[in-house]
Structure formats: C-alpha cells, structure tokens
C-alpha cells in the first residue's frame, strides 16, 4: 500500500493531519481571505481542518486532496457567512439627512420640534388624517378607504387639522 499523505490521512494517521495542515493551510488561508472577513479567516480555517479530520473516511485517496480541501473551505466559508447576523440599526437611531452645507442648523431642529409638538396637540382623528396624507403620502381617497370613513369626513378632518395646526404653529413661533 502506498504511504502518500492522501492514503495516510484517509487511513486515520494523526500525523498525516499535521502534515496536511502544514502543506495546505497557507493556500486554504489565502483562499478563505477572498471569501470571509479578515478577522474570521483563522476561525474558518480551523473549522476546515477539523472537518478534514472528522470526515477523513469520505476522502478518496485516489483523487485530489487540495480540491477536496478547497471544497470543504468553500462550504464552511458559505456557512460562516450565512450564520452571521447583519448589523442593523433601529430607524429611530438614524439621524435625518443633513442640510445643504452638510450640517443641520438649530432652526431646522427647532422647526421640527414645533411641528411634532403641534401635531401632538391635535385631536387624534385630525392628526391621523394629516399624518397619513403627509407622512404616508396617501391621497384623501386612500385615507378614506384606509380608515373606512366617507371621503367628506377625511376632507373635513384634514382641513380642520391643518387650520388648527397653522394656529398652533403661529402661537408657538
């Protein structure tokens, strides 16, 4: 029987795993650098060679050892990327876009705050109609369908709400 690295590894020779690692880990590491973030390369490399040892009985010594290693490396890299949870940020934590010169000025913050407080002071049905029209970008007909009220009711709530909002904003300024 031939004593090549491939046959020794398939036979379960523990020394063959170390030899396989020394011979092939630089190429596998280089391959993994193209697939996973740099900080994760060593972890995935360790998983690859752990699997090489665990599944050595599946390896056919008559075939290419490096092709088998790269196949395992690719699969483990894909598994690693799929298991990661993407970083998410709540919408409330995202700042509003900056002004024309790249900065938000104090007046813009103050205006936004005045509008929010004035909207909060409106009766709920008027605030709801205005928010659906301006923030959800719905037409008055769509608002009527959404709220299941007559179109005239939506028009009246919006008109009264905008009039009251105008009064509240004038007094706040």
């Amino acid at each position: 029987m031939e004593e090549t690295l491939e046959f020794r590894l398939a036979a379960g020779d523990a020394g063959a795993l170390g030899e396989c690692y020394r011979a092939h880990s630089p190429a596998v590491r280089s391959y993994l650098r193209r697939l996973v973030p740099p900080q994760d390369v060593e972890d995935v490399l360790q998983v690859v060679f752990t699997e090489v040892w665990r599944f050595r009985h599946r390896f056919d010594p008559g075939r290419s050892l490096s092709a088998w290693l790269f196949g395992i490396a690719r699969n483990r890299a894909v598994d690693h990327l799929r298991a990661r949870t993407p970083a998410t940020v709540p919408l409330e934590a995202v700042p509003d876009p900056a002004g024309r010169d790249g900065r938000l000025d104090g007046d813009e913050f103050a205006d936004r705050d005045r509008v929010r407080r004035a909207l909060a002071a409106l009766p709920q049905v008027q605030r709801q109609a205005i928010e659906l029209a301006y923030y959800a970008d719905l037409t008055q007909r769509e608002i009527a369908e959404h709220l299941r009220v007559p179109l005239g009711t939506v028009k009246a709530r919006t008109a009264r709400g905008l009039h009251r909002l105008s009064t509240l904003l004038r007094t706040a300024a």
Side-chain angles (χ1 to χ4, degrees), residues 117-128 130 160-166 168:
R117 279 188 273 129
L119 276 170
L122 292 177
Q124 195 268 338
V125 292
Q126 292 175 0
R127 180 178 60 251
Q128 186 179 35
I130 291 171
R160 288 186 189 118
L162 288 173
H163 179 71
R164 178 140 170 78
L165 191 61
S166 173
L168 290 169

Side-chain angles (χ1 to χ4, degrees), residues 89-96:
V89 177
L91 278 178
E92 297 80 30
V94 177
D96 290 326

Side-chain angles (χ1 to χ4, degrees), residues 78-145:
V78 168
D79 290 347
H80 178 77
L81 293 172
R82 284 182 180 156
R84 291 187 328 164
T85 9
T88 57
V89 177
L91 278 178
E92 297 80 30
V94 177
D96 290 326
R100 289 175 295 287
D101 66 350
R103 296 177 290 170
L104 291 173
D105 58 3
D107 291 339
E108 197 172 334
F109 279 122
D111 289 345
R112 235 183 273 154
D113 188 50
R114 276 195 297 275
V115 170
R116 284 185 184 132
R117 279 188 273 129
L119 276 170
L122 292 177
Q124 195 268 338
V125 292
Q126 292 175 0
R127 180 178 60 251
Q128 186 179 35
I130 291 171
E131 287 175 344
L132 288 171
Y134 289 92
Y135 296 118
D137 203 27
L138 297 179
T139 65
Q140 289 185 327
R141 186 172 310 282
E142 291 169 333
I143 295 169
E145 291 171 6

Side-chain angles (χ1 to χ4, degrees), residues 45-56 58 68 72 75-76 79:
L45 182 67
Q46 182 179 358
V47 170
V48 168
F49 280 93
T50 301
E51 291 222 352
V52 166
W53 183 250
R54 283 182 56 215
F55 299 112
R56 64 191 179 276
R58 293 184 186 171
W68 187 62
I72 293 172
N75 291 338
R76 294 304 66 85
D79 290 347

Side-chain angles (χ1 to χ4, degrees), residues 1-10 16 19 61:
M1 183 173 169
E2 295 183 43
E3 286 297 316
T4 65
L5 175 61
E6 289 85 354
F7 280 98
R8 289 183 16 242
L9 184 64
E19 193 177 323

